[in-house]
Amino acid sequence: MENLHDWSNRMQGARLMLIKLYDDDGMTMFVSGKHSKDKVYTRAIVNLIREDLRNVENYLLGTQIGFRKHVRSHKGKLVSCEAYFIE
């Protein structure tokens, strides 16, 4: 059994690294083994990671991610969505 303090330190470090890469370099995230080229989906994943350290662990373990609550502009372009883990 892993020490909770060690686990939370590791997950917090991973979360900070992922967020920093996204904010500074405009990195796109991997979704279900594929590279997400759409920034809207990457932003949704980063928001999911920011919510909870367990979400960081699920992302790093490769848990499948789904997307819902799609919002489109009047021209039909995807503006935002929400990411969630499919379990």
Side-chain angles (χ1 to χ4, degrees):
M1 189 79 169
E2 184 177 8
N3 182 327
L4 179 61
H5 183 71
D6 293 340
W7 176 86
S8 62
N9 281 337
R10 219 176 55 248
M11 291 302 115
Q12 181 64 16
R15 176 167 55 183
L16 291 174
M17 178 200 62
L18 289 168
I19 292 170
K20 181 88 171 147
L21 287 171
Y22 170 74
D23 288 343
D24 291 352
D25 300 332
M27 174 186 81
T28 54
M29 302 290 208
F30 286 91
V31 180
S32 301
K34 297 178 186 173
H35 204 58
S36 172
K37 293 188 169 107
D38 195 333
K39 298 283 186 185
V40 174
Y41 292 116
T42 297
R43 189 175 336 119
I45 294 170
V46 170
N47 290 338
L48 181 66
I49 288 171
R50 283 185 171 139
E51 288 175 7
D52 193 335
L53 289 179
R54 288 175 293 198
N55 291 348
V56 176
E57 183 176 44
N58 284 334
Y59 176 76
L60 294 174
L61 291 174
T63 304
Q64 189 174 3
I65 297 174
F67 298 94
R68 60 185 172 209
K69 298 183 182 177
H70 293 81
V71 176
R72 297 190 178 276
S73 69
H74 65 280
K75 292 184 179 181
K77 183 178 178 183
L78 184 62
V79 176
S80 69
C81 66
E82 178 183 301
Y84 67 97
F85 289 107
I86 300 171
E87 298 185 33

